[in-house]
Amino acid sequence: QVQLVESGGDLVQPGGSLRLSCTASGFRVDYYVIGWFRKAPGKEREGVSCISSVDSSSTYVVDSVKGRFTVSTDKSKNTVFLQMRNLKPEDTAVYYCATDLVPGSTCPPLREYNVWGQGTQVTVSS
């Protein structure tokens, strides 16, 4: 069974850091593009970043996270991480990871992702 499970969400103060994990089962995370998304209250789900299965390069879709968020893969744990630094209240959202089960080097459109995790809540507040 193909599955993604996120973890690591928490309540953190502005300026703090969190590392989210996305652990896969039923497939290898380094075989396919893995994307990170978030959905804030009252807003549409938006893509945050994705990591390539070709060369493990990462793309950051949202300008506001560039320089603060980093995506990486640990093949031994079959897990993709989203390291978030200097968190801001506007980063508050449920964060999801997903895959389209297609090898690639660029972030596919949201509609093409067909395996999603259950999400993990990140709240940035003082």
Side-chain angles (χ1 to χ4, degrees), residues 16-66:
S17 298
L18 279 177
R19 189 178 76 163
L20 305 184
S21 300
C22 171
T23 300
S25 57
F27 70 99
R28 290 277 303 271
V29 293
D30 54 321
Y31 283 3
Y32 307 119
V33 173
I34 304 294
W36 280 99
F37 299 83
R38 64 186 181 185
K39 188 180 186 311
K43 295 185 178 181
E44 297 289 321
R45 186 176 300 191
E46 65 174 354
V48 173
S49 68
C50 76
I51 188 162
S52 164
S53 63
V54 175
D55 58 5
S56 296
S57 62
S58 51
T59 300
Y60 300 93
V61 180
V62 180
D63 287 342
S64 65
V65 308
K66 293 179 181 179

